[in-house]
Amino acid sequence: MLKTLPPTLREKKRYISFKILYYKELSGSEVVNIIRTAIINYYGVWGCSKSNPWLIDYNHPKGLLRVCRDEVDFVKSALILFNEYKKHPINIIILGVSGSIKKSRKKFLKVPHEEYYKVIQRRKREMQSK
């Protein structure tokens, strides 16, 4: 069985809060595609794998992206320079960068923090009501 890495050996992460201005509402998979395309166009495949972007949360038009701490500036510039998606103009605005999900949601996305166990309970209730 594999052991987990101790905190001193783990990759340091930062959370980028962003806002997407587009003429229609985008799904989470489309946002992932936009982010990967933007980073690959600006920084290349190697840079995309090095920055390790991961979409944490997306509620139209705001979202939260996890990246490697050393690559924050490259990812920010890649997102800012991305300007066209499916032949329509798109604008990605960086709201801020934080070291924790809780602080970035509270400060930049203006969303109250909800405990993880409460999210799971709410999802279970939604599934049961369907």
Side-chain angles (χ1 to χ4, degrees):
M1 180 162 203
L2 294 174
K3 293 184 177 181
T4 58
L5 286 174
T8 55
L9 297 177
R10 289 185 198 149
E11 169 184 277
K12 304 288 192 270
K13 301 178 239 7
R14 291 294 178 263
Y15 300 91
I16 298 175
S17 301
F18 63 91
K19 182 178 182 180
I20 294 180
L21 301 176
Y22 194 59
Y23 80 100
K24 69 173 192 166
E25 190 170 324
L26 297 170
S27 68
S29 60
E30 287 177 317
V31 173
V32 169
N33 186 22
I34 288 170
I35 291 168
R36 285 195 181 141
T37 304
I39 295 172
I40 288 172
N41 287 345
Y42 180 75
Y43 200 36
V45 176
W46 179 72
C48 186
S49 66
K50 190 176 172 187
S51 64
N52 193 16
W54 193 264
L55 187 65
I56 299 293
D57 186 23
Y58 179 72
N59 291 324
H60 181 73
K62 296 180 181 179
L64 189 62
L65 181 69
R66 183 182 76 196
V67 296
C68 180
R69 181 185 67 182
D70 300 331
E71 309 300 320
V72 169
D73 292 332
F74 293 111
V75 173
K76 282 172 54 177
S77 57
L79 293 176
I80 290 169
L81 292 174
F82 193 72
N83 58 7
E84 188 175 333
Y85 179 66
K86 293 186 178 178
K87 298 183 182 178
H88 292 284
I90 187 170
N91 194 2
I92 302 174
I93 300 169
I94 304 298
L95 301 174
V97 178
S98 179
S100 70
I101 295 173
K102 184 177 180 179
K103 289 292 183 182
S104 61
R105 281 189 176 148
K106 185 185 267 186
K107 187 174 182 180
F108 303 115
L109 301 179
K110 308 288 191 260
V111 176
H113 177 69
E114 191 174 8
E115 297 296 332
Y116 186 68
Y117 70 92
K118 290 182 181 178
V119 173
I120 293 172
Q121 289 174 351
R122 181 172 39 87
R123 288 185 181 165
K124 283 181 181 178
R125 283 191 302 259
E126 289 172 359
M127 292 300 289
Q128 290 174 354
S129 66
K130 288 183 180 181

